[in-house]
């Protein structure tokens, strides 16, 4: 079984500051990891994903995440926050055996960007 | 390509009624998954359909059911609605190939269901 834990349900940063959203996973098999963003009244949009290969993954809108197996982490970062980044962010995991297309999501982190 | 579309976008029902939600996947995608999103429980997997067959199922009561048609469009049905079924229901599609575990799921805008 797989699970993810997102530390901090709400994160507030100033515009131009570093964004760091934390995600730790638990998986009995090598995981595939995803970060999605959800804007108000919209569905989920994929920011980036880790499957195999390079552990530093670059995504859309300047976001990136690093897969650290030793720390079971997949934290999302962006060097400089923009007002348009305000949204809810979800980390998700999928195992590589069984389970089909089932994604297991974390509880989400609401990002607020202040002037 | 057009994205995942879901209809209707908003729905109000009363307890005891039933409801059917529709999802049209991205052209060429054969896998459709459904998720329920609520403030209390977050995002929870309902089920996945591939080639008209349910491939995976989450931990929801039998009141929740779904199906997929030959054109990959999917519907989900909730019978005997309860207040707790009020939620945003999200549909996601993916190619559904042999490399399914690496595939990206593309989400629709959701159907917001309110049960009174």
């Amino acid at each position: 079984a797989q699970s993810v834990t997102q530390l901090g349900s709400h994160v507030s940063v100033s515009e131009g500051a570093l964004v760091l959203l934390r995600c730790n996973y638990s998986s009995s098999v090598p995981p595939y990891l995803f970060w999605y963003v959800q804007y108000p009244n919209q569905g989920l949009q994929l920011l980036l994903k880790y499957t195999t290969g390079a552990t530093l993954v670059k995504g859309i809108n300047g976001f990136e995440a690093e897969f650290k197996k030793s720390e079971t982490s997949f934290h999302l970062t962006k060097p400089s926050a923009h007002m348009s980044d305000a949204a809810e962010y979800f980390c998700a995991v999928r195992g590589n055996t069984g389970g089909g297309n089932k994604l297991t999501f974390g509880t989400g982190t609401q990002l607020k960007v202040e002037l | 390509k057009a994205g995942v579309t879901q209809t209707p976008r908003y729905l109000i029902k009363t307890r005891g009624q039933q409801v059917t939600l529709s999802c049209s996947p991205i052209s060429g995608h054969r896998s459709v998954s459904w998720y329920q999103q609520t403030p209390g429980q977050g995002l929870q997997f309902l089920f996945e359909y591939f080639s008209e067959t349910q491939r995976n199922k989450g931990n929801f009561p039998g009141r929740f059911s779904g199906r997929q048609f030959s054109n990959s469009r999917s519907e989900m049905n909730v019978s005997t609605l309860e207040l707790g079924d009020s939620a945003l229901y999200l549909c996601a599609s993916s190619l559904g190939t042999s490399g399914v575990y690496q595939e990206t799921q593309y989400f629709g805008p959701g159907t917001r269901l309110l049960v009174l």
Side-chain angles (χ1 to χ4, degrees), chain B residues 5-31:
Chain B
T5 58
Q6 293 187 244
T7 56
R9 291 293 311 277
Y10 303 92
L11 208 49
I12 300 176
K13 292 286 187 179
T14 56
R15 278 185 303 171
Q17 287 186 309
Q18 75 165 14
V19 67
T20 298
L21 311 182
S22 180
C23 171
S24 292
I26 292 171
S27 178
H29 285 193
R30 297 167 63 194
S31 168

Side-chain angles (χ1 to χ4, degrees), chain A residues 28-42:
Chain A
S28 55
V29 297
Y32 294 146
L33 294 159
F34 305 79
W35 274 101
Y36 282 88
V37 61
Q38 186 177 36
Y39 297 99
N41 299 316
Q42 293 187 28

Side-chain angles (χ1 to χ4, degrees), chain A residues 5-8 11 20-24 35 74-76 91 109:
Chain A
T5 301
Q6 291 185 242
L7 295 175
V11 169
L20 170 60
L21 304 182
R22 300 177 186 275
C23 172
N24 288 88
W35 274 101
F74 191 57
H75 302 330
L76 182 71
C91 182
T109 298

Side-chain angles (χ1 to χ4, degrees), chain A residues 15-105:
Chain A
E15 191 174 34
L18 171 72
V19 175
L20 170 60
L21 304 182
R22 300 177 186 275
C23 172
N24 288 88
Y25 70 89
S26 173
S27 179
S28 55
V29 297
Y32 294 146
L33 294 159
F34 305 79
W35 274 101
Y36 282 88
V37 61
Q38 186 177 36
Y39 297 99
N41 299 316
Q42 293 187 28
L44 302 175
Q45 179 183 10
L46 180 73
L47 282 174
L48 48 81
K49 66 179 182 181
Y50 169 78
T51 54
T52 58
T55 56
L56 182 61
V57 182
K58 294 187 184 300
I60 62 171
N61 301 339
F63 284 94
E64 63 182 37
E66 187 171 9
F67 172 67
K68 292 187 177 181
K69 185 178 179 181
S70 61
E71 299 177 8
T72 61
S73 69
F74 191 57
H75 302 330
L76 182 71
T77 60
K78 182 174 180 178
S80 177
H82 191 272
M83 295 296 290
S84 61
D85 295 327
E88 189 156 24
Y89 292 79
F90 293 92
C91 182
V93 65
R94 178 195 297 152
N96 66 3
T97 59
N101 240 332
K102 176 184 176 182
L103 283 170
T104 300
F105 286 90

Side-chain angles (χ1 to χ4, degrees), chain A residues 4 6 36-38 42-44 88-92 102-108, chain B residues 34-46 60 87-92 107-108:
Chain A
V4 290
Q6 291 185 242
Y36 282 88
V37 61
Q38 186 177 36
Q42 293 187 28
L44 302 175
E88 189 156 24
Y89 292 79
F90 293 92
C91 182
K102 176 184 176 182
L103 283 170
T104 300
F105 286 90
T107 51
Chain B
W34 289 88
Y35 294 83
Q36 181 197 63
Q37 185 178 24
T38 61
Q41 300 298 317
L43 280 154
Q44 294 186 289
F45 174 79
L46 280 157
F60 278 82
L88 180 67
Y89 290 88
L90 293 164
C91 165
F107 284 79

Side-chain angles (χ1 to χ4, degrees), chain B residues 16-93:
Chain B
Q17 287 186 309
Q18 75 165 14
V19 67
T20 298
L21 311 182
S22 180
C23 171
S24 292
I26 292 171
S27 178
H29 285 193
R30 297 167 63 194
S31 168
V32 174
S33 299
W34 289 88
Y35 294 83
Q36 181 197 63
Q37 185 178 24
T38 61
Q41 300 298 317
L43 280 154
Q44 294 186 289
F45 174 79
L46 280 157
F47 29 64
E48 178 205 2
Y49 285 87
F50 176 74
S51 292
E52 302 179 62
T53 301
Q54 188 179 85
R55 183 158 68 175
N56 203 4
K57 189 178 187 305
N59 296 322
F60 278 82
R63 301 185 297 107
F64 292 82
S65 63
R67 59 177 176 169
Q68 186 179 35
F69 303 94
S70 58
N71 62 357
S72 294
R73 190 178 70 85
S74 177
E75 290 181 346
M76 67 164 283
N77 183 276
V78 188
S79 62
T80 320
L81 284 166
E82 301 177 358
L83 295 179
D85 297 332
S86 294
L88 180 67
Y89 290 88
L90 293 164
C91 165
S93 78

